[in-house]
Amino acid sequence: MDREAMSNKVTRILHEAHERRVFPGAVAGIADEDGIQCVVAAGSPTYESSMRVTADTVFDVASITKAVPVSSGVLRLVEKGVMEVSDPLVRYVPEYSGDYAEEIRIHHLLTHTLHFGYRLSTLAHLPGEQILQAILRGKLSSPPGATYSYANATSILLGICLERAAGRDLEEFSRGEFFEPIGMDATTFFPGQTLIHRIPPTEKDERGMTIQGQVHDESARALRPRAVGSAGLFTTAGDLLLFMSSLLRSGNGGIFTPEMLERIGTNQVSMPDARTGLGWELNQRRFMGRNCSGKTIGKTGFTGCSCAADLVRRRAVVLLSNHTFPRRQANREDIDSVRSAVADVAWGA
C-alpha cells in the first residue's frame, strides 16, 4: 500500500469518528524505521470551533508520558550502565518508607507490578507535597511482583528514580536525551504561552472551567510545577512518530540496541491475565489493532491518545486526540475502536 492509499484510509477513519463525536479533533500517522510515512488530521479543537486541527496541533498525551520519555529514559540509563533493572528503589529514593521498601526493584516500576491500595486520583484534591508524601509512604496490597496493577504512583516513583540517577530533572533530561537529538521540536512538559494556541482543550471540569494548556491528569497537575513520570507531556503526532521511528531503528543510530528492544518486546510477567513488556504495554489488541503481532508494544493516554510499534513489521502508528472534551466518556470503547482501526491500516500497509 502506497502513502496516498494509507493517508486516504486513515483520513476516512478519523472523519467518520469525528462525525460520531468520538473526538472534536485528531491527528494520526504511520512511520517505519526510515521515517514518517504519512500524517493526517481531522476535526477541530472543539465541536463549535471554526478552526481546524492540523499536523502542527499539540496534544496533552497524558499517560504516554509513562513510556515516552520516562520508561524509555530509564532503559537508556540501563544501557549506559548508570542503572540496573535489579536496582532497589531505595537506592534512588531512600526516603521511601512504604511497605516492602527494601524489596521493590526498578523492574517492578517498569512492569507495574506494585499493587497500591488506593488510586492516586482520590488524593488529587490535596496539595502536591501531600500527594508526594502519600506515595513515599506507599501502602501496598500485595508483595512486589505478585500483582499487575497499573498505577500513576508507580510511574511517579520511576520518574524520581530517573531524575536522581541522571542528576537532572525530567524535562532537562528528556530534552537532552530525546527531544533535541531526535528533532522533537514541539515536545515539552511546559508548553507556556508560545504553544497555547496550538493546544486543544481536554475537558470542562466540574466548575465549568476549560482545561487547555494545563496538564489534564489531576494528580500530575497538583504536583506542578514539577514534571512527573505519570503524565504531563505535550507533543505533536509528527514528533511522537519521530520517536517511534527512532525506536524501530535499533542498532542503527536509534534509541535502543537490538538486545534492549527485544527485552522491551518480551513479556516480563508470569501472571495468567497480564502481559507487559519492559517499560511498555505489550500485545494489547484493544488499541494496537486486531492484526498486530505478538511483538507489538505501545501506550495509551487517557485524553484519547495512543502510540504503538510492531517490532516484527517494523512499523509504528500514532493517534492523538482530545477524546475527553468536553466530558470524559464512561468507557474507552469508542476511542479504542478508532485506535485499533488506524493501527490495522499501519500493519496492513
Side-chain angles (χ1 to χ4, degrees), residues 62 65-66 68-70 169-175 179 186-192 195 213-215 224-235:
T65 306
K66 293 179 172 71
V68 183
V70 178
D169 65 41
L170 186 54
E171 166 79 10
E172 183 184 358
F173 171 85
S174 302
R175 184 159 302 286
F179 305 160
T187 302
T188 181
F189 281 90
F190 303 105
L195 289 180
Q214 303 176 61
V215 180
R224 288 288 167 130
R226 177 180 191 156
V228 296
S230 57
L233 189 71
F234 291 79
T235 190

Side-chain angles (χ1 to χ4, degrees), residues 65-66 69-71 73-74 77 83-84 87-118 120 128-140 142 144 149-166 168-170 217 219-220 223 226-231:
T65 306
K66 293 179 172 71
V70 178
S71 290
V74 168
L77 293 183
M83 301 178 74
E84 296 289 345
D87 284 345
L89 166 66
V90 292
R91 174 177 175 179
Y92 305 101
V93 192
E95 65 268 38
Y96 181 84
S97 60
D99 298 332
Y100 305 101
E102 299 298 325
E103 299 175 36
I104 299 172
R105 298 291 183 264
I106 297 300
H107 188 273
H108 297 129
L109 305 180
L110 287 166
T111 57
H112 282 272
T113 49
L114 295 184
H115 190 194
F116 283 88
Y118 60 90
L120 204 58
E129 185 57 34
Q130 290 186 35
I131 294 174
L132 184 59
Q133 289 306 311
I135 295 170
L136 294 173
R137 295 191 301 267
K139 299 299 181 184
L140 302 185
S142 59
S149 180
Y150 180 82
N152 283 337
T154 303
S155 294
I156 289 172
L157 285 174
L158 187 63
I160 296 172
C161 291
L162 172 60
E163 291 182 325
R164 302 274 176 85
R168 291 181 283 174
D169 65 41
L170 186 54
D217 180 84
S219 55
L223 287 161
R226 177 180 191 156
V228 296
S230 57

Side-chain angles (χ1 to χ4, degrees), residues 33-61:
E33 53 195 330
D34 295 324
I36 297 172
Q37 299 301 304
C38 71
V39 176
V40 300
S44 306
T46 70
Y47 289 113
E48 298 77 23
S49 175
S50 60
M51 297 175 60
R52 306 300 296 173
V53 165
T54 72
D56 291 328
T57 298
V58 176
F59 289 86
D60 176 345
V61 298

